[in-house]
Amino acid sequence: MRQDRQDGQVGLEGEYTELLAPAHPASPALPALVLCATAFLIYSSLGLAAHRSLQTNAFDLSVFDYALWTTASGGPLGYVPMFRHSLFAQHFMPSLLVLSPLARLFDGPAWLIVLQSLFHASAAFLLYRFARANASKGIALAVAGAF
């Protein structure tokens, strides 16, 4: 309901007051977001540094890089030349189908390392949200940080 206030301003009162109230100045999830973003940056940097210094498992990365590249370039789904068959012959991995368009954007397997860090940080934030619903903010942050 529209009402004129004493100071001459027009305001909304009643049922809309709570809806129009300003949001909290700081999001309650902000510390968890900062924690997860920091973990993402650290793990991505460490993973890329290890990859550039040839300290990552080249076999595993090359298997998935080949499978994603052949799928994205129109070849057989999940085909790995060194195996002479598709990864789908071993087990069904729908994630290959979802990630294959990204293989056309990025050259080499380094993006897989960054993506792994992103998924890990996202999982930590979801874990925080779950823990926050069932525990205090401090415990939820500790659980997410330990993850």
Side-chain angles (χ1 to χ4, degrees):
M1 167 183 234
R2 183 178 160 175
Q3 294 180 349
D4 293 331
R5 298 187 307 203
Q6 290 178 342
D7 59 3
Q9 299 288 327
V10 176
L12 295 174
E13 303 294 333
E15 63 186 280
Y16 298 108
T17 305
E18 289 181 22
L19 293 174
L20 298 175
H24 296 290
S27 170
L30 186 61
L33 285 172
V34 170
L35 175 73
C36 293
T38 303
F40 165 70
L41 292 173
I42 289 171
Y43 284 115
S44 292
S45 299
L46 290 174
L48 290 174
H51 181 67
R52 288 188 183 117
S53 63
L54 304 175
Q55 295 178 359
T56 54
N57 190 343
F59 180 76
D60 288 339
L61 281 173
S62 66
V63 166
F64 285 98
D65 188 39
Y66 271 125
L68 289 165
W69 182 80
T70 56
T71 302
S73 62
L77 292 178
Y79 182 74
V80 180
M82 61 189 145
F83 292 161
R84 296 187 184 138
H85 63 76
S86 170
L87 285 182
F88 289 108
Q90 296 172 347
H91 58 86
F92 181 62
M93 291 183 280
S95 58
L96 286 179
L97 299 175
V98 173
L99 296 177
S100 64
L102 292 175
R104 295 193 53 94
L105 298 175
F106 303 107
D107 187 32
W111 68 276
L112 291 171
I113 295 169
V114 174
L115 193 66
Q116 179 183 17
S117 298
L118 177 65
F119 287 160
H120 190 256
S122 299
F125 183 72
L126 291 175
L127 182 61
Y128 166 80
R129 294 292 303 253
F130 175 75
R132 183 66 184 103
N134 298 299
S136 70
K137 185 177 182 178
I139 290 175
L141 273 173
V143 167
F147 178 74

